[in-house]
Amino acid sequence: MARISLLISLLLSLASSFTTIPSRFTTTPTSQTTLEMGFGDAFKGAFSNDDKLGKVQNAGLKNGPDYNDKVTINGKAVKAVTGQKVAIVANAARVRIKYDCQAGDCGTCMIKMNGRKVKACQSNIPRGKCAIETL
């Protein structure tokens, strides 16, 4: 019988330890904490959107690159972008052109473009027909 009364008193003491705290001891936050460090606060709105800029535009090329489909290298039709270096277009088409300086000083990369001798490392793809022949 002594054991039962000891067990009951133990259970009652455990049950009383799980009671809720009266509301007069709880606190509710009344304000938000803001962290102001000084120098970095000057950049608070630096990366926010500016309403005066208008609608967001694509940062890429407008209407895409200007392709020239009338380019041939040694009779092989290749796709090139107008203004692209001839050396890059020839390399993409797997046409071998010898280079030494890549600056246009030595003349090793001479080719014929539309009947004229030019340096491949310095020449760009023009608009319209472009016939390139290696020498």
mmCIF file of all heavy atoms in Angstrom, residues 68-100:
data_model
loop_
_atom_site.group_PDB
_atom_site.id
_atom_site.type_symbol
_atom_site.label_atom_id
_atom_site.label_comp_id
_atom_site.label_asym_id
_atom_site.label_seq_id
_atom_site.Cartn_x
_atom_site.Cartn_y
_atom_site.Cartn_z
ATOM 1 N N ASN A 68 25.096 35.511 -92.601
ATOM 2 C CA ASN A 68 25.341 35.627 -94.030
ATOM 3 C C ASN A 68 25.441 34.203 -94.573
ATOM 4 O O ASN A 68 26.408 33.497 -94.300
ATOM 5 C CB ASN A 68 26.628 36.407 -94.301
ATOM 6 C CG ASN A 68 26.838 36.674 -95.764
ATOM 7 O OD1 ASN A 68 26.125 36.158 -96.618
ATOM 8 N ND2 ASN A 68 27.834 37.492 -96.070
ATOM 9 N N ASP A 69 24.444 33.786 -95.343
ATOM 10 C CA ASP A 69 24.418 32.431 -95.893
ATOM 11 C C ASP A 69 25.111 32.340 -97.248
ATOM 12 O O ASP A 69 25.166 31.266 -97.836
ATOM 13 C CB ASP A 69 22.961 31.951 -96.034
ATOM 14 C CG ASP A 69 22.278 31.817 -94.679
ATOM 15 O OD1 ASP A 69 22.983 31.524 -93.697
ATOM 16 O OD2 ASP A 69 21.044 32.006 -94.612
ATOM 17 N N LYS A 70 25.650 33.441 -97.741
ATOM 18 C CA LYS A 70 26.272 33.463 -99.064
ATOM 19 C C LYS A 70 27.794 33.400 -98.981
ATOM 20 O O LYS A 70 28.487 33.916 -99.847
ATOM 21 C CB LYS A 70 25.842 34.736 -99.800
ATOM 22 C CG LYS A 70 24.351 34.825 -100.009
ATOM 23 C CD LYS A 70 23.981 36.157 -100.591
ATOM 24 C CE LYS A 70 22.476 36.312 -100.603
ATOM 25 N NZ LYS A 70 22.062 37.676 -100.878
ATOM 26 N N VAL A 71 28.327 32.761 -97.946
ATOM 27 C CA VAL A 71 29.768 32.657 -97.752
ATOM 28 C C VAL A 71 30.216 31.270 -98.201
ATOM 29 O O VAL A 71 29.625 30.261 -97.815
ATOM 30 C CB VAL A 71 30.153 32.888 -96.275
ATOM 31 C CG1 VAL A 71 31.649 32.727 -96.074
ATOM 32 C CG2 VAL A 71 29.704 34.256 -95.816
ATOM 33 N N THR A 72 31.265 31.240 -99.035
ATOM 34 C CA THR A 72 31.868 29.961 -99.443
ATOM 35 C C THR A 72 33.359 30.025 -99.171
ATOM 36 O O THR A 72 33.998 31.071 -99.369
ATOM 37 C CB THR A 72 31.632 29.674 -100.934
ATOM 38 O OG1 THR A 72 32.181 30.724 -101.704
ATOM 39 C CG2 THR A 72 30.152 29.498 -101.242
ATOM 40 N N ILE A 73 33.911 28.913 -98.709
ATOM 41 C CA ILE A 73 35.351 28.792 -98.514
ATOM 42 C C ILE A 73 35.796 27.601 -99.352
ATOM 43 O O ILE A 73 35.378 26.463 -99.102
ATOM 44 C CB ILE A 73 35.721 28.583 -97.026
ATOM 45 C CG1 ILE A 73 35.232 29.761 -96.196
ATOM 46 C CG2 ILE A 73 37.226 28.419 -96.881
ATOM 47 C CD1 ILE A 73 35.499 29.630 -94.707
ATOM 48 N N ASN A 74 36.638 27.885 -100.371
ATOM 49 C CA ASN A 74 37.097 26.862 -101.328
ATOM 50 C C ASN A 74 35.907 26.136 -101.941
ATOM 51 O O ASN A 74 35.933 24.920 -102.127
ATOM 52 C CB ASN A 74 38.063 25.875 -100.679
ATOM 53 C CG ASN A 74 39.368 26.523 -100.274
ATOM 54 O OD1 ASN A 74 39.746 27.555 -100.826
ATOM 55 N ND2 ASN A 74 40.051 25.940 -99.311
ATOM 56 N N GLY A 75 34.829 26.833 -102.214
ATOM 57 C CA GLY A 75 33.646 26.263 -102.838
ATOM 58 C C GLY A 75 32.680 25.601 -101.870
ATOM 59 O O GLY A 75 31.589 25.178 -102.263
ATOM 60 N N LYS A 76 33.031 25.507 -100.614
ATOM 61 C CA LYS A 76 32.185 24.874 -99.591
ATOM 62 C C LYS A 76 31.334 25.954 -98.915
ATOM 63 O O LYS A 76 31.877 26.926 -98.380
ATOM 64 C CB LYS A 76 33.079 24.174 -98.571
ATOM 65 C CG LYS A 76 32.359 23.507 -97.442
ATOM 66 C CD LYS A 76 33.377 22.870 -96.493
ATOM 67 C CE LYS A 76 32.700 22.254 -95.301
ATOM 68 N NZ LYS A 76 33.653 21.714 -94.338
ATOM 69 N N ALA A 77 30.019 25.795 -98.950
ATOM 70 C CA ALA A 77 29.121 26.778 -98.326
ATOM 71 C C ALA A 77 29.210 26.674 -96.810
ATOM 72 O O ALA A 77 29.161 25.583 -96.250
ATOM 73 C CB ALA A 77 27.688 26.548 -98.784
ATOM 74 N N VAL A 78 29.363 27.819 -96.171
ATOM 75 C CA VAL A 78 29.446 27.854 -94.705
ATOM 76 C C VAL A 78 28.494 28.921 -94.180
ATOM 77 O O VAL A 78 28.142 29.857 -94.889
ATOM 78 C CB VAL A 78 30.889 28.137 -94.202
ATOM 79 C CG1 VAL A 78 31.819 27.018 -94.572
ATOM 80 C CG2 VAL A 78 31.400 29.456 -94.726
ATOM 81 N N LYS A 79 28.092 28.759 -92.937
ATOM 82 C CA LYS A 79 27.227 29.735 -92.275
ATOM 83 C C LYS A 79 28.111 30.625 -91.414
ATOM 84 O O LYS A 79 28.896 30.122 -90.604
ATOM 85 C CB LYS A 79 26.193 29.004 -91.422
ATOM 86 C CG LYS A 79 25.134 29.887 -90.854
ATOM 87 C CD LYS A 79 24.101 29.056 -90.103
ATOM 88 C CE LYS A 79 23.004 29.917 -89.546
ATOM 89 N NZ LYS A 79 22.032 29.136 -88.794
ATOM 90 N N ALA A 80 27.993 31.934 -91.600
ATOM 91 C CA ALA A 80 28.837 32.872 -90.854
ATOM 92 C C ALA A 80 28.009 34.065 -90.412
ATOM 93 O O ALA A 80 26.961 34.357 -90.970
ATOM 94 C CB ALA A 80 29.997 33.334 -91.734
ATOM 95 N N VAL A 81 28.517 34.759 -89.422
ATOM 96 C CA VAL A 81 27.895 35.977 -88.912
ATOM 97 C C VAL A 81 28.629 37.162 -89.522
ATOM 98 O O VAL A 81 29.861 37.191 -89.560
ATOM 99 C CB VAL A 81 27.965 36.026 -87.370
ATOM 100 C CG1 VAL A 81 27.405 37.324 -86.836
ATOM 101 C CG2 VAL A 81 27.252 34.848 -86.761
ATOM 102 N N THR A 82 27.869 38.131 -90.019
ATOM 103 C CA THR A 82 28.468 39.332 -90.598
ATOM 104 C C THR A 82 29.325 40.033 -89.543
ATOM 105 O O THR A 82 28.885 40.245 -88.418
ATOM 106 C CB THR A 82 27.367 40.292 -91.090
ATOM 107 O OG1 THR A 82 26.562 39.607 -92.035
ATOM 108 C CG2 THR A 82 27.952 41.532 -91.713
ATOM 109 N N GLY A 83 30.567 40.364 -89.927
ATOM 110 C CA GLY A 83 31.492 41.021 -89.007
ATOM 111 C C GLY A 83 32.397 40.052 -88.270
ATOM 112 O O GLY A 83 33.331 40.467 -87.586
ATOM 113 N N GLN A 84 32.150 38.758 -88.395
ATOM 114 C CA GLN A 84 32.977 37.753 -87.731
ATOM 115 C C GLN A 84 34.317 37.641 -88.464
ATOM 116 O O GLN A 84 34.403 37.838 -89.675
ATOM 117 C CB GLN A 84 32.242 36.410 -87.763
ATOM 118 C CG GLN A 84 32.810 35.347 -86.877
ATOM 119 C CD GLN A 84 31.911 34.106 -86.868
ATOM 120 O OE1 GLN A 84 31.088 33.921 -87.741
ATOM 121 N NE2 GLN A 84 32.092 33.273 -85.871
ATOM 122 N N LYS A 85 35.390 37.321 -87.741
ATOM 123 C CA LYS A 85 36.711 37.177 -88.355
ATOM 124 C C LYS A 85 36.712 35.976 -89.294
ATOM 125 O O LYS A 85 36.130 34.927 -88.995
ATOM 126 C CB LYS A 85 37.789 36.977 -87.293
ATOM 127 C CG LYS A 85 38.010 38.166 -86.387
ATOM 128 C CD LYS A 85 38.890 39.167 -87.051
ATOM 129 C CE LYS A 85 39.227 40.274 -86.071
ATOM 130 N NZ LYS A 85 39.797 41.409 -86.734
ATOM 131 N N VAL A 86 37.366 36.138 -90.447
ATOM 132 C CA VAL A 86 37.463 35.059 -91.432
ATOM 133 C C VAL A 86 38.177 33.855 -90.831
ATOM 134 O O VAL A 86 37.817 32.706 -91.098
ATOM 135 C CB VAL A 86 38.185 35.560 -92.706
ATOM 136 C CG1 VAL A 86 38.463 34.411 -93.663
ATOM 137 C CG2 VAL A 86 37.373 36.636 -93.379
ATOM 138 N N ALA A 87 39.159 34.095 -89.985
ATOM 139 C CA ALA A 87 39.913 33.008 -89.373
ATOM 140 C C ALA A 87 39.011 32.109 -88.534
ATOM 141 O O ALA A 87 39.140 30.881 -88.548
ATOM 142 C CB ALA A 87 41.031 33.579 -88.501
ATOM 143 N N ILE A 88 38.050 32.687 -87.824
ATOM 144 C CA ILE A 88 37.140 31.908 -86.975
ATOM 145 C C ILE A 88 36.168 31.107 -87.831
ATOM 146 O O ILE A 88 35.891 29.943 -87.561
ATOM 147 C CB ILE A 88 36.401 32.852 -86.002
ATOM 148 C CG1 ILE A 88 37.401 33.470 -85.037
ATOM 149 C CG2 ILE A 88 35.302 32.114 -85.259
ATOM 150 C CD1 ILE A 88 36.835 34.570 -84.176
ATOM 151 N N VAL A 89 35.674 31.715 -88.915
ATOM 152 C CA VAL A 89 34.742 31.027 -89.805
ATOM 153 C C VAL A 89 35.443 29.858 -90.493
ATOM 154 O O VAL A 89 34.895 28.752 -90.604
ATOM 155 C CB VAL A 89 34.150 32.005 -90.837
ATOM 156 C CG1 VAL A 89 33.295 31.291 -91.857
ATOM 157 C CG2 VAL A 89 33.357 33.082 -90.128
ATOM 158 N N ALA A 90 36.668 30.076 -90.951
ATOM 159 C CA ALA A 90 37.427 29.015 -91.606
ATOM 160 C C ALA A 90 37.729 27.878 -90.639
ATOM 161 O O ALA A 90 37.643 26.694 -90.995
ATOM 162 C CB ALA A 90 38.720 29.575 -92.181
ATOM 163 N N ASN A 91 38.050 28.210 -89.417
ATOM 164 C CA ASN A 91 38.324 27.190 -88.410
ATOM 165 C C ASN A 91 37.069 26.360 -88.127
ATOM 166 O O ASN A 91 37.134 25.137 -87.992
ATOM 167 C CB ASN A 91 38.844 27.837 -87.127
ATOM 168 C CG ASN A 91 39.358 26.821 -86.135
ATOM 169 O OD1 ASN A 91 39.734 25.723 -86.504
ATOM 170 N ND2 ASN A 91 39.375 27.202 -84.865
ATOM 171 N N ALA A 92 35.905 27.010 -88.032
ATOM 172 C CA ALA A 92 34.656 26.296 -87.783
ATOM 173 C C ALA A 92 34.288 25.396 -88.952
ATOM 174 O O ALA A 92 33.665 24.342 -88.770
ATOM 175 C CB ALA A 92 33.534 27.292 -87.505
ATOM 176 N N ALA A 93 34.683 25.790 -90.174
ATOM 177 C CA ALA A 93 34.403 24.991 -91.364
ATOM 178 C C ALA A 93 35.483 23.936 -91.594
ATOM 179 O O ALA A 93 35.438 23.224 -92.597
ATOM 180 C CB ALA A 93 34.291 25.894 -92.582
ATOM 181 N N ARG A 94 36.444 23.849 -90.725
ATOM 182 C CA ARG A 94 37.558 22.901 -90.792
ATOM 183 C C ARG A 94 38.409 23.098 -92.044
ATOM 184 O O ARG A 94 38.853 22.145 -92.671
ATOM 185 C CB ARG A 94 37.073 21.465 -90.683
ATOM 186 C CG ARG A 94 36.417 21.177 -89.349
ATOM 187 C CD ARG A 94 36.074 19.709 -89.244
ATOM 188 N NE ARG A 94 35.455 19.425 -87.975
ATOM 189 C CZ ARG A 94 36.091 18.952 -86.914
ATOM 190 N NH1 ARG A 94 37.381 18.722 -86.966
ATOM 191 N NH2 ARG A 94 35.441 18.689 -85.809
ATOM 192 N N VAL A 95 38.617 24.374 -92.379
ATOM 193 C CA VAL A 95 39.500 24.726 -93.479
ATOM 194 C C VAL A 95 40.793 25.230 -92.872
ATOM 195 O O VAL A 95 40.785 26.137 -92.046
ATOM 196 C CB VAL A 95 38.860 25.810 -94.385
ATOM 197 C CG1 VAL A 95 39.842 26.270 -95.456
ATOM 198 C CG2 VAL A 95 37.585 25.295 -94.994
ATOM 199 N N ARG A 96 41.889 24.636 -93.281
ATOM 200 C CA ARG A 96 43.178 24.971 -92.672
ATOM 201 C C ARG A 96 43.779 26.204 -93.339
ATOM 202 O O ARG A 96 43.944 26.249 -94.558
ATOM 203 C CB ARG A 96 44.130 23.790 -92.788
ATOM 204 C CG ARG A 96 45.441 24.037 -92.121
ATOM 205 C CD ARG A 96 46.350 22.847 -92.237
ATOM 206 N NE ARG A 96 47.706 23.229 -91.964
ATOM 207 C CZ ARG A 96 48.347 22.921 -90.862
ATOM 208 N NH1 ARG A 96 47.742 22.215 -89.945
ATOM 209 N NH2 ARG A 96 49.577 23.297 -90.687
ATOM 210 N N ILE A 97 44.083 27.197 -92.519
ATOM 211 C CA ILE A 97 44.802 28.394 -92.953
ATOM 212 C C ILE A 97 45.987 28.545 -92.009
ATOM 213 O O ILE A 97 45.818 28.518 -90.793
ATOM 214 C CB ILE A 97 43.913 29.651 -92.897
ATOM 215 C CG1 ILE A 97 42.711 29.502 -93.827
ATOM 216 C CG2 ILE A 97 44.714 30.886 -93.280
ATOM 217 C CD1 ILE A 97 41.722 30.647 -93.739
ATOM 218 N N LYS A 98 47.199 28.702 -92.576
ATOM 219 C CA LYS A 98 48.394 28.851 -91.740
ATOM 220 C C LYS A 98 48.442 30.243 -91.123
ATOM 221 O O LYS A 98 48.138 31.232 -91.788
ATOM 222 C CB LYS A 98 49.658 28.623 -92.561
ATOM 223 C CG LYS A 98 49.904 27.189 -92.918
ATOM 224 C CD LYS A 98 51.256 27.060 -93.572
ATOM 225 C CE LYS A 98 51.564 25.603 -93.822
ATOM 226 N NZ LYS A 98 52.929 25.420 -94.308
ATOM 227 N N TYR A 99 48.836 30.304 -89.853
ATOM 228 C CA TYR A 99 48.966 31.569 -89.123
ATOM 229 C C TYR A 99 50.308 31.570 -88.403
ATOM 230 O O TYR A 99 50.777 30.538 -87.947
ATOM 231 C CB TYR A 99 47.869 31.724 -88.061
ATOM 232 C CG TYR A 99 46.477 31.690 -88.606
ATOM 233 C CD1 TYR A 99 45.727 30.527 -88.566
ATOM 234 C CD2 TYR A 99 45.913 32.819 -89.161
ATOM 235 C CE1 TYR A 99 44.449 30.493 -89.071
ATOM 236 C CE2 TYR A 99 44.636 32.794 -89.669
ATOM 237 C CZ TYR A 99 43.905 31.626 -89.619
ATOM 238 O OH TYR A 99 42.643 31.607 -90.128
ATOM 239 N N ASP A 100 50.918 32.724 -88.288
ATOM 240 C CA ASP A 100 52.127 32.857 -87.479
ATOM 241 C C ASP A 100 51.943 33.905 -86.391
ATOM 242 O O ASP A 100 52.094 33.622 -85.220
ATOM 243 C CB ASP A 100 53.340 33.209 -88.340
ATOM 244 C CG ASP A 100 53.926 31.995 -89.050
ATOM 245 O OD1 ASP A 100 53.702 30.871 -88.577
ATOM 246 O OD2 ASP A 100 54.585 32.179 -90.077
#
